[in-house]
């Protein structure tokens, strides 16, 4: 069936005019160029955000919203620490940097790269004091509550007396008239998060050994992963830091934030695209020139690659609207694959110089078509992975192969019509190599030879595969250089460890129930800090006591204002006329509560608002604030108008996690508290798809066996499929022997080993009397592919390195094994003839 279809298609091609074919090809390329240009003009862009490559997790609505909140909270924040020998210099340098950044913001207006430039909030304590003071009757610290519960009013009177005679106390006549035991200042102090940092002259300071670090924070107006935004933000920062360096040359600068990771990723990707792509292209050009000694094959090779890249970009932008930088890095390998069609064409022409270009295309059409289909299907399988970036790679490379295939079928009959110079030497070398392999393979046809060969392969595979380990850590997608991570780690320590990617999601059916849950969780986290399993945490329980807790505090203070008020006023020497006012204020506060809605209207409350998840956006108190490591505001990215279910939720940010497994175990049986670890969840998804990809590879081998059986018969088809299958197995064994762990990227690369390696098998299976031409074409194809993927193995990005290493090994093994198909085919044919004669 497949052979009949190929024959009819081939006959149609032979009847069509080379000129009309070229016209169709030119129109196709022109249309693709114009469409791509329009896509760029309509907003298509190059994407460098590594998060865009991550798999999509299936989460409930509240968890998904929490993840979005945290990502929006922590993203696009920039932290700069200016380390000086003394506090005065550090403060002056920080003020100068803020002045320069604010000047850039004013000059650029809405085009300013960095907004929300800040350090310490000197008005924060005053604003909190004004908000909480009317609710003072419903606030008690733990020691205060314990004293009142034990009716130990004397200890509170002693503490208040001590404050009266303390020169640094908050006590004054106005406060004493409204809070005679001075309980409120202690409650206000508990709102300040524990931190190594302090504030002076509006600047956030922290000690670093004998030095002092002044911390300046800002937020990028656009995503740090937008290349244009990166340039604008870095320009503003560089100008400001240059001014600081000129005035204070001894200042040391520490940087942290997604911006610097994004810049490192962008620079690495651009460098690898240019270096790997150029090296691959130059290698292909050298191969073509050395093999054919003619300008025309070289020009057509460039045309083939260019048309493939054009269709690759066109299809990718049409489907995704953007092109990821890592797609381009992976896509450099397309150069080594797309040129294979040109190699097979010109090697066939060398083997029969009298044959026309049109006839040569017709001769290789069935095999090339089948090879294109299998390679494209291999990329389609890659597209089944849960990575948008890998889906882009699949579309990019499959479309690129289509461009190269169409160029061969439509453009070569006319453009490649010129004769090649006499070039029998490459064919002679290929023939010699093939003859040596044939002689070697004959030794394996004996029972002893086959047994030894099978034993070596079996031992190699068994030992290698048993040593194979797995590693699905998503962080291998990108690893920032030490020049980025080391300063960031130092700065995180200055800010009490900052916050990690993991966080707690606490949920409850009502607002009051949620506040009570938060109060229950906080002591557990305090214990984790004491046990050095956790560095710090940020929870709303510090700022929003539940109604139950407020009522408890209120009733306990009844001991002061209803039972012991006379004793309190007399002991502290206060006017007895204060009694009616104090009692009236106490009674009036009974129905007044601290509520999330009121708290989130404050400036400080807006900073914490993203940690609160109301059942729907309409009821949410969240405005446009977000929380960073020190409570600085930033825009949050919640989806407007979305329905998030009936549960209330609150995010508890965690920092300095030392034992993530211990934290998970602590909350494992608690349905209302969920430890969200996106990295671990995505890594688990990667492990699942790694296994699925290997199963798909086995399925693809089975389908290929059935498909090829229609053309070659079962025995020959089995040999064709056995070559890439054995190459994949040997690759896995070699990875195990070399200590390289198995990941999803290895599995995806094995799919391509099958897709590319099956081409070599097909060409040898269809070689007939043109073994030397096929050997030369396969040699050149393997060299170009190894150039492309071998270079990827030197990538600094571990995922790309794994991909390139696996493909290099797989294609290398396939190249060594595929010529044996000729010997096997000859043996099968001989046996068939002998059987026929006997019958």
């Amino acid at each position: 069936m497949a052979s009949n279809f190929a024959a009819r298609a081939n006959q149609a091609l032979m009847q069509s005019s080379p000129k009309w074919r070229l016209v169709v090809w030119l129109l196709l390329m022109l249309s693709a160029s114009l469409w791509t240009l329009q896509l760029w003009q309509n907003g298509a862009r190059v994407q460098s955000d590594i998060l865009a490559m991550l798999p999509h997790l299936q989460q409930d609505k509240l968890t998904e919203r929490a993840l979005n909140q945290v990502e929006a909270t922590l993203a696009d924040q920039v932290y700069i620490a200016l380390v000086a020998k003394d506090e005065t210099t550090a403060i002056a340098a920080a003020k100068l940097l803020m002045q320069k950044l604010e000047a850039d913001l004013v000059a650029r207006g809405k085009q300013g790269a960095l907004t929300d430039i800040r350090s310490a909030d000197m008005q924060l304590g005053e604003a909190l004091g004004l908000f909480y003071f009317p609710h003072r009757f419903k606030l008690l610290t733990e020691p205060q509550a314990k004293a009142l519960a034990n009716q130990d009013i004397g200890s509170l009177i002693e503490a208040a007396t001590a404050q009266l005679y303390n020169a640094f106390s908050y006590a004054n006549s106005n406060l004493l008239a409204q809070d005679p035991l001075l309980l409120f200042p202690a409650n206000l102090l508990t709102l300040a998060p524990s931190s190594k940092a302090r504030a002076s002259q509006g600047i956030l300071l922290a000690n670093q050994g004998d030095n002092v670090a002044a911390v300046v924070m800002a937020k990028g107006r656009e995503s740090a992963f937008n290349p244009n935004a990166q340039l604008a933000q870095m320009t503003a920062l560089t100008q400001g830091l240059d001014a600081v360096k000129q005035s204070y040359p001894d200042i040391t600068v520490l940087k942290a934030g997604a911006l610097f990771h994004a810049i490192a990723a962008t620079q690495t990707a651009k460098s690898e695209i240019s270096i790997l792509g150029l090296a691959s292209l130059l290698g292909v050009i050298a191969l073509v020139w050395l093999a054919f000694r003619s300008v025309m094959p070289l020009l057509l090779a460039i045309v083939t690659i260019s048309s493939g890249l054009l269709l690759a970009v066109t299809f990718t932008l049409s489907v995704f609207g953007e092109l990821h930088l890592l797609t381009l890095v992976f896509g450099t390998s397309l150069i080594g694959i797309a040129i294979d069609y040109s190699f097979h064409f010109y090697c066939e022409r060398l083997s029969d110089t009298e044959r026309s270009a049109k006839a040569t295309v017709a001769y290789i059409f069935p095999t090339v078509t089948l090879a294109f289909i299998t390679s494209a299907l291999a990329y389609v399988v890659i597209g089944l992975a849960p990575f948008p970036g890998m889906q882009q790679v699949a579309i990019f490379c499959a479309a690129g192969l289509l461009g190269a295939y169409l160029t061969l079928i439509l453009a070569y009959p006319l453009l490649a019509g010129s004769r090649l110079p006499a070039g029998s030497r490459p064919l002679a070398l290929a023939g010699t190599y093939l003859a040596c392999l044939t002689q070697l393979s004959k030794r394996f046809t004996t029972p002893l030879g086959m047994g030894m060969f099978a034993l070596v392969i079996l031992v190699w595979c068994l030992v290698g595969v048993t040593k194979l380990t797995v590693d699905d850590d998503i962080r291998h997608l990108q690893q920032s250089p030490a020049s980025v991570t080391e300063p960031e780690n130092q700065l995180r320590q200055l800010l009490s460890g900052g916050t990690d990617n993991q966080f707690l999601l606490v949920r409850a059916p009502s607002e009051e129930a949620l506040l009570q849950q938060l109060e229950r969780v906080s002591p557990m986290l305090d214990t984790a800090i004491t046990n050095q399993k956790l560095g710090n945490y940020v929870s709303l329980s510090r700022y929003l006591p539940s109604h139950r807790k407020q009522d408890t505090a209120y009733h306990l203070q009844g001991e002061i204002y209803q039972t012991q008020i006379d004793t309190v006023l007399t002991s502290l020497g206060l006017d007895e006329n204060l009694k009616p006012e104090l009692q009236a204020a106490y009674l009036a506060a009974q129905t007044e509560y601290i509520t999330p809605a009121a708290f989130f209207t404050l400036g400080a409350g807006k900073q914490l608002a993203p940690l609160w998840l109301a059942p729907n956006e309409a009821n949410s108190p969240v405005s446009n604030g977000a929380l960073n490591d020190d409570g600085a505001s930033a825009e949050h990215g919640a989806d407007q108008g979305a329905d998030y279910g009936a549960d209330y939720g609150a995010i508890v940010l965690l920092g300095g996690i030392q034992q993530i497994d211990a934290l998970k175990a602590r909350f494992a049986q608690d349905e209302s508290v969920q430890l969200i670890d996106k990295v671990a969840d995505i890594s688990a998804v990667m492990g699942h798809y790694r296994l699925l990809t290997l199963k798909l590879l086995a399925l693809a081998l089975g389908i290929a066996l059935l498909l090829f059986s229609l053309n070659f018969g079962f025995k020959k088809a089995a040999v064709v499929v056995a070559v890439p299958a054995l190459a994949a197995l040997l690759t896995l064994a070699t990875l195990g022997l070399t200590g390289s762990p198995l990941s999803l990227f290895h599995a995806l690369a094995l799919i391509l080993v099958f897709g590319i390696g099956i081409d070599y098998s097909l060409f040898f299976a269809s070689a007939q009397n043109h073994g030397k031409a096929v050997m030369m074409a396969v040699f050149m194809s393997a060299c170009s592919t190894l150039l492309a993927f071998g270079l990827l193995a030197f990538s600094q990005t571990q995922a790309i390195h794994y991909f390139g290493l696996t493909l290099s090994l797989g294609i290398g093994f396939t190249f060594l094994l595929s010529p044996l198909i000729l010997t096997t085919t000859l043996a099968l044919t001989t046996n068939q003839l002998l059987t026929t004669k006997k019958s």
Side-chain angles (χ1 to χ4, degrees):
M1 184 185 299
S3 59
N4 292 336
F5 173 78
R8 288 195 296 269
N10 202 1
Q11 185 178 2
L13 282 173
M14 287 297 293
Q15 293 174 353
S16 61
S17 168
K19 291 183 179 180
W20 280 110
R21 288 199 223 176
L22 182 62
V23 169
V24 171
W25 179 80
L26 289 173
L27 289 174
L28 179 64
M29 294 299 118
L30 179 61
S31 300
S33 301
L34 294 175
W35 178 244
T36 302
L37 182 62
Q38 184 178 357
L39 290 172
W40 284 117
Q41 292 176 343
N42 290 340
R45 63 194 178 110
V46 174
Q47 171 68 267
S48 64
D49 186 355
I50 196 67
L51 298 177
M53 285 196 72
L54 299 181
H56 301 298
L57 296 175
Q58 297 297 323
Q59 304 280 9
D60 63 83
K61 292 181 179 180
L62 190 63
T63 304
E64 183 179 354
R65 183 183 174 196
L67 284 167
N68 292 337
Q69 290 279 70
V70 171
E71 287 178 5
T73 294
L74 301 180
D76 307 330
Q77 299 291 324
V78 175
Y79 305 88
I80 304 294
L82 303 173
V83 184
K85 294 181 179 179
D86 59 88
E87 184 173 307
T88 303
T89 304
I91 291 174
K95 287 184 175 180
L96 177 59
L97 177 60
M98 293 175 69
Q99 177 186 345
K100 293 296 182 182
L101 294 178
E102 287 168 354
D104 178 80
L105 180 61
V106 171
R108 296 176 181 269
K110 292 184 178 180
Q111 303 301 318
L114 294 170
T115 64
D116 195 16
I117 301 153
R118 64 208 181 275
S119 187
D121 187 353
M122 301 302 290
Q123 285 75 44
L124 178 62
E126 182 180 352
L128 290 175
L130 291 173
F131 174 76
Y132 283 104
F133 189 73
H135 302 285
R136 62 191 178 279
F137 301 107
K138 294 192 174 180
L139 294 173
L140 285 175
T141 64
E142 188 174 341
Q144 291 170 352
K146 187 175 182 179
L148 288 174
N150 294 330
Q151 297 183 346
D152 183 12
I153 197 73
S155 64
L156 297 179
I157 293 174
E158 289 178 8
T161 303
Q163 288 192 59
L164 286 173
Y165 295 100
N166 187 341
F168 299 100
S169 127
Y170 292 96
N172 57 57
S173 58
N174 186 42
L175 180 60
L176 280 168
Q178 301 178 76
D179 181 21
L181 287 179
L182 300 176
L183 302 180
F184 180 70
N187 283 277
L188 190 60
L189 287 175
T190 62
L191 299 176
S194 59
S195 174
K196 300 176 183 177
R198 63 186 188 280
S200 177
Q201 301 181 40
I203 302 299
L204 189 67
L205 300 173
N207 292 329
Q208 188 189 50
D210 296 331
N211 299 324
V212 178
V215 181
V216 175
M217 295 165 283
K219 176 178 174 58
R221 189 183 295 275
E222 297 182 63
S223 171
F225 295 99
N226 182 317
N228 294 329
Q230 286 177 20
L231 178 61
Q233 292 174 29
M234 276 306 299
T235 300
L237 279 175
T238 301
Q239 291 174 352
L241 291 173
D242 285 346
V244 170
K245 279 290 187 179
Q246 288 178 1
S247 301
Y248 308 97
D250 295 332
I251 286 285
T252 301
V253 179
L254 301 177
K255 304 174 185 177
L259 172 65
F260 308 106
H261 292 276
I263 288 174
T266 302
Q267 290 175 344
T268 299
K270 287 182 176 179
S271 173
E272 290 181 355
I273 288 168
S274 57
I275 295 174
L276 301 184
L278 180 62
S280 180
L281 184 60
L282 291 177
V284 168
I285 290 173
L287 272 175
V288 174
W289 178 258
L290 290 173
F292 306 118
R293 303 287 182 174
S294 175
V295 175
M296 198 60 192
L298 191 57
L299 293 177
L300 276 181
I302 295 173
V303 169
T304 303
I305 293 171
S306 301
S307 60
L309 292 176
L310 174 60
L311 283 193
V313 172
T314 302
F315 273 73
T316 305
L317 292 180
S318 299
V319 175
F320 298 98
E322 62 184 18
L323 191 61
H324 202 287
L325 276 175
L326 287 185
T327 300
L328 292 176
V329 174
F330 278 109
T332 57
S333 61
L334 180 63
I335 295 172
I337 304 172
I339 198 64
D340 288 358
Y341 302 141
S342 183
F343 289 160
H344 284 290
F345 172 84
Y346 276 106
C347 287
E348 286 297 335
R349 290 214 68 189
L350 273 182
S351 66
D352 189 351
T353 56
E354 299 300 322
R355 182 190 291 147
S356 67
K358 180 180 178 181
T360 303
V361 169
Y363 177 78
I364 66 173
F365 173 77
T367 306
V368 168
T369 301
L370 196 55
F372 163 69
I373 292 173
T374 53
S375 297
L377 284 175
Y379 281 115
V380 169
V381 172
I382 285 183
L384 298 176
F387 294 85
M390 294 309 296
Q391 291 165 0
Q392 278 197 25
V393 170
I395 295 292
F396 187 92
C397 291
L401 284 180
L402 177 63
Y405 173 77
L406 292 176
T407 302
L408 172 70
I409 302 303
L410 300 177
Y412 273 52
L414 188 62
L415 296 181
S418 58
R419 288 181 177 274
L420 290 174
S424 58
R425 180 170 175 76
L427 284 176
L429 291 175
T432 302
Y433 174 75
L434 190 59
C436 292
L437 282 181
T438 303
Q439 291 297 324
L440 181 63
S441 63
K442 286 181 179 179
R443 297 182 181 181
F444 295 131
T445 57
T446 63
L448 179 62
M450 291 179 66
M452 291 296 296
F453 179 74
L455 181 62
V456 170
I457 296 296
L458 182 62
V459 172
W460 187 350
C461 291
L462 283 177
V463 174
V465 171
T466 53
K467 288 188 175 183
L468 196 61
T469 59
V470 297
D471 184 359
D472 299 307
D473 195 335
I474 191 64
R475 283 168 290 198
H476 291 159
L477 267 176
Q478 177 182 328
Q479 292 178 318
S480 296
S483 60
V484 174
T485 57
E486 289 180 1
E488 181 172 272
N489 290 334
Q490 293 180 45
L491 209 158
R492 283 172 63 90
Q493 292 305 313
L494 293 177
L495 299 176
S496 303
T499 55
D500 295 325
N501 292 322
Q502 298 87 355
F503 61 91
L504 292 180
L505 174 60
V506 183
R507 62 180 76 210
S510 67
E511 183 175 285
E512 172 64 12
L514 179 59
L515 293 174
Q516 292 182 22
Q517 290 283 18
L518 288 172
E519 290 168 354
R520 181 178 63 84
V521 168
S522 291
M524 301 168 71
L525 295 178
D526 291 333
T527 302
I529 292 175
T530 302
N531 296 334
Q532 297 184 341
K533 296 177 181 178
L534 183 68
N536 60 83
Y537 68 94
V538 179
S539 174
L540 287 170
S541 64
R542 187 191 300 272
Y543 305 93
L544 294 172
S546 65
H547 283 200
R548 183 179 66 180
K549 186 175 182 179
Q550 292 181 61
D551 286 338
T552 300
Y554 181 80
H555 292 306
L556 287 173
Q557 291 198 49
E559 177 73 13
I560 301 172
Y561 297 103
Q562 291 183 327
T563 306
Q564 301 286 344
I565 185 63
D566 293 326
T567 303
V568 170
L569 293 177
T570 302
S571 299
L572 295 174
L574 299 176
D575 190 346
E576 292 183 0
N577 293 328
L578 293 174
K579 177 179 176 180
E581 295 180 9
L582 287 170
Q583 288 183 328
Y586 173 78
L587 292 173
Q590 183 174 4
T591 58
E592 298 296 325
Y593 290 94
I594 301 167
T595 63
F599 176 72
F600 291 133
T601 60
L602 292 176
K606 290 179 181 178
Q607 297 168 11
L608 294 164
L611 302 186
W612 183 263
L613 306 173
N616 57 68
E617 200 66 20
N619 296 332
S620 174
V622 181
S623 58
N624 287 321
L627 180 81
N628 61 42
D629 294 349
D630 276 70
S633 67
E635 296 175 3
H636 83 84
D639 298 326
Q640 297 296 320
D643 178 14
Y644 293 104
D647 278 352
Y648 281 79
I651 296 167
V652 179
L653 297 178
L654 305 176
I657 298 174
Q658 301 299 321
Q659 297 182 29
I660 185 68
D661 292 335
L663 281 177
K664 286 182 178 180
R666 183 178 293 269
F667 299 107
Q669 305 302 321
D670 194 337
E671 295 182 357
S672 62
V673 183
Q674 181 182 2
L675 179 61
I676 306 295
D677 187 355
K678 187 175 181 179
V679 171
D681 291 342
I682 293 175
S683 297
V685 172
M686 287 184 65
H688 168 73
Y689 277 91
R690 169 178 50 80
L691 291 173
L692 180 61
T693 302
L694 292 175
K695 291 177 182 177
L696 287 174
L697 175 60
L699 178 63
L701 289 169
I703 294 174
L705 179 61
L706 294 175
L707 181 63
F708 298 154
S709 296
L710 301 176
N711 268 357
F712 305 119
F714 181 78
K715 290 183 179 180
K716 191 172 181 180
V719 174
V720 171
V721 173
V723 168
L726 185 56
L729 191 59
L730 288 171
T731 300
L732 289 173
T734 305
L735 291 173
L737 291 171
T738 56
S740 180
L742 183 64
S743 70
L744 175 60
F745 300 99
H746 294 92
L748 293 173
L750 288 176
I751 292 287
L752 281 191
V753 169
F754 163 72
I756 299 170
I758 205 74
D759 292 359
Y760 302 166
S761 299
L762 284 172
F763 279 108
F764 275 112
S766 307
Q768 296 178 6
N769 298 322
H770 297 273
K772 291 190 294 184
V774 172
M775 187 67 251
M776 179 181 172
V778 168
F779 172 77
M780 295 182 68
S781 298
C783 286
S784 63
T785 305
L786 287 173
L787 267 175
F789 292 117
L791 291 172
L792 287 183
F794 292 98
S795 172
Q796 298 179 32
T797 304
Q798 202 161 2
I800 299 177
H801 163 75
Y802 285 159
F803 198 83
L805 175 64
T806 306
L807 266 162
S808 299
L809 290 172
I811 295 303
F813 285 127
T814 305
F815 171 74
L816 292 175
L817 294 171
S818 57
L820 300 178
I821 292 177
L822 281 177
T823 306
T824 308
T825 301
L826 181 61
L828 289 173
T829 304
T830 303
N831 291 337
Q832 187 176 3
L833 289 174
L834 291 174
T835 304
T836 303
K837 287 182 179 180
K838 288 181 180 179
S839 61

